[in-house]
């Protein structure tokens, strides 16, 4: 399967396909396809698509998403940078928009340099998990997936392949 790797083109295509992406979300929510079957497809497609993407050519996640940081993330990052938690917090963080937790105060991520994470080995939990396609219960994260289609070539590629694989099949 050929995968679109250019983040600008992915954003264009996702915008063009936004209506069908939401329609496919509704289909998945309403379908009787077992969640385990959907997860198995997503996981297999994720491995296939991610193998074709060089995230350092894109880094859109680091440029456009602000992860929510745990206390452990903050301690680990502060120690890695040789700062106290208070210094790290003061220099880089602010309260999350919903008031629940802390996030980086600027975008792109202040720890990104030349499309590379300068703290990759100790990066936050949310960053380690992105694009969240390895997790179970994909159908409960569909809004997140549809939103990330315009942001991440991997998510876009998986979602498009999943539409081709499942949308018109009703053999389960």
């Amino acid at each position: 399967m050929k995968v679109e790797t250019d983040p600008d083109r992915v954003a264009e295509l996702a915008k063009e396909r936004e209506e069908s992406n939401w329609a496919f979300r509704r289909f998945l929510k309403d379908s009787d396809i077992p969640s385990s079957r959907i997860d198995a497809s997503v996981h297999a497609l994720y491995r296939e698509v991610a193998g074709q993407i060089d995230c350092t050519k894109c880094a859109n996640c680091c440029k456009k998403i602000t992860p929510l940081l745990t206390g452990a993330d903050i301690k680990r990052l502060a120690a890695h940078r040789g700062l106290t938690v208070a210094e790290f917090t003061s220099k880089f963080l602010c309260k999350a928009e919903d008031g629940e937790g802390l996030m980086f105060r600027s975008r792109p991520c202040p720890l990104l340099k030349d499309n590379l994470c300068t703290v990759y080995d100790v990066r936050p939990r949310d960053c380690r998990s992105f694009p969240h396609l390895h997790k179970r219960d994909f159908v409960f994260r569909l809004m997140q997936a549809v939103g990330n289609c315009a942001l991440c070539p991997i998510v876009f590629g998986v979602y498009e392949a999943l539409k081709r694989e499942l949308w018109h099949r009703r053999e389960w």
Side-chain angles (χ1 to χ4, degrees):
M1 143 186 19
K2 175 146 173 37
V3 176
E4 180 58 60
T5 60
D6 176 34
D8 293 331
R9 183 68 181 136
V10 164
E12 277 177 35
L13 291 169
K15 186 171 175 72
E16 288 172 14
R17 298 174 188 178
E18 186 173 22
E19 191 173 314
S20 73
N21 286 345
W22 287 109
F24 181 60
R25 176 193 176 272
R26 282 188 301 278
F27 165 78
L28 287 177
K29 285 297 222 184
D30 295 340
S31 80
D32 58 352
I33 304 169
S35 182
S36 59
R37 165 75 170 93
I38 294 170
D39 285 349
S41 291
V42 169
H43 296 164
L45 290 168
Y46 174 52
R47 286 188 297 275
E48 184 178 348
V49 171
Q52 298 179 51
I53 303 288
D54 177 357
C55 292
T56 65
K57 300 271 190 255
C58 175
N60 253 3
C61 51
C62 303
K63 294 173 184 173
K64 299 188 177 184
I65 296 176
T66 307
L68 198 57
L69 303 175
T70 66
D73 290 334
I74 297 166
K75 287 178 189 172
R76 198 171 53 253
L77 291 166
H80 184 78
R81 296 291 295 230
L83 301 170
T84 67
V85 167
E87 290 168 332
F88 185 84
T89 300
S90 173
K91 185 172 182 174
F92 294 110
L93 306 180
C94 65
K95 281 194 186 273
E97 293 164 3
D98 63 6
E100 300 292 320
L102 296 172
M103 60 187 223
F104 291 112
R105 71 173 51 159
S106 64
R107 274 182 255 168
C109 176
L111 306 175
L112 182 69
K113 184 174 179 13
D114 299 324
N115 277 6
L116 297 175
C117 178
T118 61
V119 295
Y120 188 80
D121 290 338
V122 297
R123 68 194 183 282
R125 183 188 63 194
D126 273 359
C127 300
R128 285 179 194 277
S129 183
F130 192 83
H132 314 293
L133 297 174
H134 64 287
K135 296 178 179 180
R136 293 178 43 207
D137 298 321
F138 180 74
V139 294
F140 297 110
R141 290 177 284 101
L142 285 167
M143 294 210 32
Q144 178 188 57
V146 171
N148 286 338
C149 279
L151 175 76
C152 177
I154 296 172
V155 176
F156 178 80
V158 168
Y159 204 75
E160 288 299 309
L162 193 64
K163 285 194 292 191
R164 287 189 299 273
E165 182 178 317
L166 298 180
W167 204 345
H168 299 292
R169 291 186 185 180
R170 300 206 169 98
E171 306 150 5
W172 357 98

